[in-house]
Amino acid sequence: MDDEIRERVRREAEVAALFNALKHDSDAQVGAIMGPMMGENPEFREHGDEIPGVVSPVIADVNGMDREEKRERLGELAPERLEELDAEDEEDDQVLPDLPNAEAYDEIRMRCAPNPNGPWHIGHSRMPAVIGTYAEEYDGEFIVRFDDTDPETKRPLLWAYDEILDEIGYLGFEPADVYRASDRLDVYYEHARQLIGMGGAYTCSCPAGEFSELKNGGEACPHREKDPAVVAEEFDAMVDGDYNSGEMVLRVKTDIEHKNPALRDWVAFRIIETPHPREEAAAYRCWPMLDFQSGVDDHLTGVTHIIRGIDLQDSAKRQRFLYDYFGWEYPEVLHWGHVQLDAYDVKMSTSTIKELVASGELDGWDDPRAPTVMSVKRRGIRGEAVVDAMTELGTSSSDVDLAMSSVYANNRELVDDEAPRQFLVRDGFEARGEGDDESYEAVEVPIDGGPDEATPQVHPDHPDRGDREIPVGDSVLVEVTDLPAEGDRVWLKGYGPVRYDGERFECLDADINIVREEGVDVVHWVPGDDNVGVRLRTMDGDATGYAEPGFADQSADTVVQFVRIGFARVDSHSPDESVAYYTHP
Ligand SMILES: [Zn+2]
């Protein structure tokens, strides 16, 4: 090979190595680079024998650079490849459709407006996932506003406020501002008084049924033409708590003959006698309806784009009457469909989950069977895996299905490289749902003739992380389904081949080829004496069993992979047993 060819090989290899390493965010591999390079440059082929010797040091150099250095070097050698890379990145990142009319606003500001009547079910995480992603894409921001203005039928749960904010953090986002509507009643009263002054609202004492009948017939009730001064007085009496629930409401004057009856003179304020659970708001009795409260707040807090459910299309239409009175511009609105979730028996509904927790059928909001954010978090699923699955659903107005398998696939990519490998032999199963008849049994088998210790790797892709040290002792435990027939062999993973004589394992002298060539099964196991009792909590029930001794040293929150079983998050250790939550296969 002459110097010119050598230089060209070196250069081609370096560009390819830089491109691959940046694209996959990992070390470049000789094999992945040689093939395409030889394909594109047939004149290199006659030097096939010498080429690896030239390429290897180039790749080693590339793998020694940090990301910035790689980008810089690729920009020098082949600026067009760097552009190609950035274009691909952009495509990958933009999973959501463009926001409507975004260019009309200096800064995009969106809002997540949860009702804190419970912690979030998984479907709720769609809003922060999507608006948090939009905020990043548009360099804008989002706010959280707790729409907690119904202390009776959607009674807030005091600890849910902070829990929801924690869950947004878990998903990887931070709101620019946090508001509680129950702190803002005076703001709503002030706007109601302005509206009354404009003749845009009236106090109405019609029994609900009677008003409905009039309204459905397109007829005004006698209160509609009341003098604004009287309305103002009666509204003050509502605020002062002079009426009982149902005696008086404040209605927005819209169009009593509007073709959509739901928009005709809707209720803006009503009396709720049940005190709000927040001390700061406990004295109020006159509460705004959601359409009034959120309509006023969206304007006052500078929201530019609203996303809400397709079933709430009337909200924007009702609120436009308010906006017209006040002379405000209505924000851009997107309506999206519902998310349906597979894999759970429990319905994805806050009230259902709340009842099951209250009755003790669920152990809590983070029970593995509960379709909640608290539960997936406890199982060791990262917020990022949920966010990616949610943004992939887009913002379509049709109902969409979220497959938990796609959350699991995302999460596996995030945790696999870190997760230390561990052995767990299951020995029992306590079903908690209906129709789950899984069972496990461990058998203890004496073992002879092998080394005292097994040293399987901490992680098969990372030999540098070292080996685990598992003392074998006089016997091992295996799951009964892994026990070979009398006279047959198995390979105890990380230890070696044994033959089962019907009572004992006898260690054999054979190499790993028997697994591939002779079909010997590889099974997991733990020492008969030195092991750790484990309860593995799954969506179907609790599996109990024994882990290798080192499991006791895995700190809480670590996600491990139980070999041949799946990933699990270490939850707690106690002298009686260690608890882990099953993440996914
Ligand atoms: Zn009336």
CSV table of all heavy atoms in Angstrom, one decimal, residues 202-206 211 221-224 251, ligand 1:
chain,number,residue,atom,x,y,z
A,202,TYR,N,-75.9,38.1,35.3
A,202,TYR,CA,-77.0,38.4,36.2
A,202,TYR,C,-77.1,37.3,37.2
A,202,TYR,O,-76.8,36.1,37.0
A,202,TYR,CB,-78.3,38.6,35.4
A,202,TYR,CG,-78.7,37.4,34.6
A,202,TYR,CD1,-79.7,36.5,35.1
A,202,TYR,CD2,-78.2,37.2,33.3
A,202,TYR,CE1,-80.1,35.4,34.3
A,202,TYR,CE2,-78.6,36.1,32.5
A,202,TYR,CZ,-79.6,35.2,33.0
A,202,TYR,OH,-79.9,34.2,32.2
A,203,THR,N,-77.6,37.7,38.4
A,203,THR,CA,-77.9,36.7,39.5
A,203,THR,C,-79.2,36.1,39.2
A,203,THR,O,-80.2,36.8,38.8
A,203,THR,CB,-77.9,37.4,40.8
A,203,THR,OG1,-78.5,38.7,40.7
A,203,THR,CG2,-76.5,37.6,41.4
A,204,CYS,N,-79.3,34.8,39.4
A,204,CYS,CA,-80.5,34.1,39.0
A,204,CYS,C,-80.9,33.1,40.1
A,204,CYS,O,-80.0,32.3,40.6
A,204,CYS,CB,-80.3,33.4,37.7
A,204,CYS,SG,-81.5,32.1,37.3
A,205,SER,N,-82.1,33.2,40.6
A,205,SER,CA,-82.6,32.3,41.7
A,205,SER,C,-83.6,31.3,41.2
A,205,SER,O,-84.2,30.6,42.0
A,205,SER,CB,-83.1,33.1,42.8
A,205,SER,OG,-84.2,34.0,42.3
A,206,CYS,N,-83.6,31.1,39.8
A,206,CYS,CA,-84.5,30.1,39.3
A,206,CYS,C,-84.1,28.7,39.8
A,206,CYS,O,-82.9,28.4,39.8
A,206,CYS,CB,-84.5,30.0,37.8
A,206,CYS,SG,-85.1,31.4,37.0
A,211,PHE,N,-85.1,26.7,35.2
A,211,PHE,CA,-84.2,27.4,34.3
A,211,PHE,C,-83.9,26.6,33.0
A,211,PHE,O,-84.0,27.1,31.9
A,211,PHE,CB,-82.9,27.9,34.9
A,211,PHE,CG,-82.1,28.8,34.0
A,211,PHE,CD1,-82.4,30.1,34.0
A,211,PHE,CD2,-81.2,28.2,33.1
A,211,PHE,CE1,-81.7,31.0,33.1
A,211,PHE,CE2,-80.5,29.0,32.2
A,211,PHE,CZ,-80.7,30.4,32.2
A,221,CYS,N,-85.2,33.9,31.5
A,221,CYS,CA,-85.9,33.9,32.8
A,221,CYS,C,-86.1,35.3,33.3
A,221,CYS,O,-85.5,36.3,32.7
A,221,CYS,CB,-85.1,33.1,33.9
A,221,CYS,SG,-83.8,34.0,34.6
A,222,PRO,N,-87.0,35.6,34.2
A,222,PRO,CA,-87.3,37.0,34.6
A,222,PRO,C,-86.1,37.7,35.2
A,222,PRO,O,-86.1,39.0,35.2
A,222,PRO,CB,-88.4,36.8,35.7
A,222,PRO,CG,-88.6,35.4,35.9
A,222,PRO,CD,-87.8,34.6,34.9
A,223,HIS,N,-85.0,37.0,35.6
A,223,HIS,CA,-83.9,37.7,36.2
A,223,HIS,C,-82.9,38.3,35.2
A,223,HIS,O,-82.1,39.1,35.6
A,223,HIS,CB,-83.1,36.7,37.1
A,223,HIS,CG,-84.1,36.0,38.1
A,223,HIS,ND1,-84.3,34.6,38.0
A,223,HIS,CD2,-84.8,36.4,39.1
A,223,HIS,CE1,-85.2,34.3,38.9
A,223,HIS,NE2,-85.5,35.3,39.6
A,224,ARG,N,-83.1,37.9,34.0
A,224,ARG,CA,-82.1,38.3,33.0
A,224,ARG,C,-82.1,39.9,32.8
A,224,ARG,O,-81.0,40.4,32.5
A,224,ARG,CB,-82.5,37.7,31.6
A,224,ARG,CG,-81.3,37.7,30.6
A,224,ARG,CD,-81.7,36.9,29.4
A,224,ARG,NE,-80.5,36.4,28.7
A,224,ARG,CZ,-80.0,36.9,27.6
A,224,ARG,NH1,-80.6,38.0,27.1
A,224,ARG,NH2,-79.0,36.4,27.0
A,251,ARG,N,-75.0,34.1,36.4
A,251,ARG,CA,-75.0,33.6,35.0
A,251,ARG,C,-74.3,34.6,34.1
A,251,ARG,O,-74.6,35.8,34.2
A,251,ARG,CB,-76.4,33.3,34.5
A,251,ARG,CG,-77.1,32.2,35.1
A,251,ARG,CD,-78.5,31.9,34.5
A,251,ARG,NE,-79.1,30.8,35.2
A,251,ARG,CZ,-78.8,29.6,35.0
A,251,ARG,NH1,-77.8,29.2,34.2
A,251,ARG,NH2,-79.4,28.6,35.8
B,1,ZN,ZN,-83.5,33.1,36.7
